Amino acid sequence: MKKASMISIGAYVPEFILTNHDLEKMVETSDEWIVKRTGIHTRHIAKDEVTSDLGYKAAKQAIERAKLAPSDIDAIICATISPDYLCMPSTACRISNLLGLTNVTAFDISAACTGFIYLLEIAKSLVESGMKKNVLIIGAEKLSSITNWEDRGTCVLFGDGAGAAVISLREDNHIIDVHTSSDGSKGELLITPGCGSVNPMSQDTLDKKLHFMHMAGNEVFKVAVNTLTNDVIDILAKNGILSSQIDLFIPHQANLRIINAVQQKLGLSDEQCVLTVAKYGNTSSASIPMAINDAFESGRLKNGSLMLLDAFGGGFTWGSALLKFGGK
Ligand code: COA
């Protein structure tokens, strides 16, 4: 029976690399502190490119690898917290324009670092219901544009990049299950407080730097570890799959310590885990598809490989997915 499958993956990272030593010159921090607390060594920063440029380059690669033409795509959904424009047009519309499409469903979603898991759930529903044939999902972020480069508690964590995948119906190698969730009561722990309807843009919101990301890192950290561990245990149990059967565990790349904690609880080996946090930092909705692409390009991810994905982010939102890779 035909079901939704991830038939391709693509990614793009901007060229410029910002090292921990560069950050030592910008804020009071050290390479040693950043590596010990986060596992991050470098992150890529977009200079002359905006979020839709990053998303377009990842999307183009994913469409080519799916052996499709842009005109075969009938829905484009972009997850981002750093859109080209605050309200409109959507970044998905901007990417559709770059792809040369003028008649396609296109919209953005906002689920922070869990964006790509939410995208999988939406795309699966659209293709399995018969509403759409080939759904292009994109996680694209220019987080450097919403980062306070004077706040050492956040600026060392984030980077820019994009990842994309095409979801279509196939006979085998399906998306087995997707779980998404949220708890809005903790929204203020990870927030961009300014420039929305609560604090419309004014000189005051700019002076207070409310348009940048604010995070209570330590509190987020504790909730993330507990929530993610329970979530991946649940999705494995629900589907009768043992952690030893997973070919690749591809978590959201926020912090090496969070990933290691979940890895240890599940008893996953290093060979099963895909890690890109050291070189890319946290790229929010882009981090999972960028990591899937890394595994694909290094030959670790093959047609039929069983992947376990998990993510946690602002909202709070979280989720996990089990899928066999349908790309070749
Ligand atoms: N360099 C040096 N010192 C720093 C620093 C930096 N870049 N950032 C913070 N510090 C200091 C703090 O000021 C604090 O100093 P104090 O003890 O004198 O007050 C000390 O380091 C410890 O800060 P704390 O925030 O408790 O550190 P931590 O071990 O929690 O690590 C994070 C901070 C941000 C790396 C960590 O909390 C984290 O990764 N949080 C979750 C991120 C995440 O997953 N986000 C959600 C998903 S996107």
Side-chain angles (χ1 to χ4, degrees):
M1 187 181 150
K2 284 192 172 182
K3 284 187 174 179
S5 173
M6 181 186 288
I7 65 162
S8 70
I9 188 75
Y12 176 76
V13 273
E15 213 178 303
F16 179 77
I17 295 172
L18 186 72
T19 67
N20 291 346
H21 295 295
D22 294 328
L23 283 162
E24 284 174 351
K25 293 173 203 142
M26 296 161 64
V27 287
E28 205 181 318
T29 190
S30 67
D31 174 57
E32 192 197 351
W33 190 96
I34 301 170
V35 172
K36 196 169 155 211
R37 300 290 178 116
T38 71
I40 300 168
H41 291 253
T42 58
R43 68 288 292 143
H44 289 243
I45 303 292
K47 292 281 186 186
D48 302 325
E49 297 162 305
V50 298
T51 303
S52 60
D53 296 321
L54 311 181
Y56 161 68
K57 286 168 189 167
K60 195 165 166 284
Q61 187 175 54
I63 294 169
E64 282 166 7
R65 285 180 178 165
K67 302 200 168 33
L68 295 174
S71 56
D72 294 320
I73 301 296
D74 48 8
I76 300 176
I77 319 171
C78 181
T80 184
I81 53 165
S82 48
D84 283 9
Y85 296 102
L86 183 60
C87 308
M88 56 187 167
S90 71
T91 302
C93 282
R94 300 258 296 164
I95 294 171
S96 73
N97 182 49
L98 292 169
L99 288 168
L101 301 176
T102 52
N103 187 10
V104 63
T105 301
F107 60 96
D108 290 355
I109 66 153
S110 171
C113 301
T114 318
F116 195 74
I117 307 282
Y118 273 69
L119 287 178
L120 280 176
E121 185 165 66
I122 299 166
K124 181 176 175 356
S125 313
L126 285 173
V127 299
E128 289 185 355
S129 67
M131 297 284 286
K132 300 290 176 191
K133 281 198 170 68
N134 300 304
V135 179
L136 173 65
I137 55 174
I138 307 159
E141 302 287 3
K142 185 172 177 172
L143 296 179
S144 57
S145 65
I146 55 166
T147 297
N148 179 356
W149 291 102
E150 292 171 359
D151 173 18
R152 68 176 183 171
T154 53
C155 76
V156 302
L157 303 174
F158 300 105
D160 301 337
V166 177
I167 309 297
S168 309
L169 287 185
R170 286 292 182 272
E171 289 290 350
D172 51 17
N173 296 329
H174 302 136
I175 299 172
I176 298 163
D177 199 6
V178 186
H179 176 243
T180 57
S181 197
S182 71
D183 175 2
S185 71
K186 299 195 176 64
E188 296 202 345
L189 296 178
L190 181 46
I191 188 169
T192 48
C195 302
S197 66
V198 175
N199 298 302
M201 195 182 79
S202 65
Q203 194 56 53
D204 188 49
T205 64
L206 291 178
D207 291 345
K208 289 179 178 156
K209 300 188 191 299
L210 299 187
H211 51 295
F212 291 133
M213 290 181 281
H214 292 244
M215 179 169 70
N218 203 281
E219 288 168 75
V220 175
F221 186 94
K222 286 180 216 147
V223 184
V225 170
N226 289 334
T227 310
L228 282 174
T229 307
N230 293 336
D231 205 54
V232 287
I233 287 172
D234 281 357
I235 198 168
L236 288 173
K238 190 180 146 212
N239 291 281
I241 292 174
L242 301 172
S243 57
S244 57
Q245 294 173 276
I246 300 296
D247 292 311
L248 292 174
F249 172 51
I250 310 188
H252 169 49
Q253 310 279 321
N255 185 314
L256 186 60
R257 289 187 294 146
I258 297 179
I259 297 171
N260 285 342
V262 178
Q263 178 189 349
Q264 273 162 22
K265 283 262 166 59
L266 286 175
L268 292 161
S269 68
D270 290 346
E271 288 67 39
Q272 288 171 290
C273 292
V274 176
L275 298 173
T276 56
V277 66
K279 57 181 177 178
Y280 299 144
N282 180 350
T283 56
S284 193
S285 67
S287 93
I288 289 180
M290 283 168 71
I292 296 175
N293 185 66
D294 245 61
F296 178 69
E297 290 189 349
S298 65
R300 291 175 74 189
L301 176 66
K302 299 182 181 72
N303 183 254
S305 295
L306 178 59
M307 294 186 271
L308 170 65
L309 317 180
D310 81 13
F312 182 91
F316 287 159
T317 56
W318 64 91
S320 51
L322 273 170
L323 66 158
K324 286 192 174 175
F325 186 57
K328 285 179 184 145

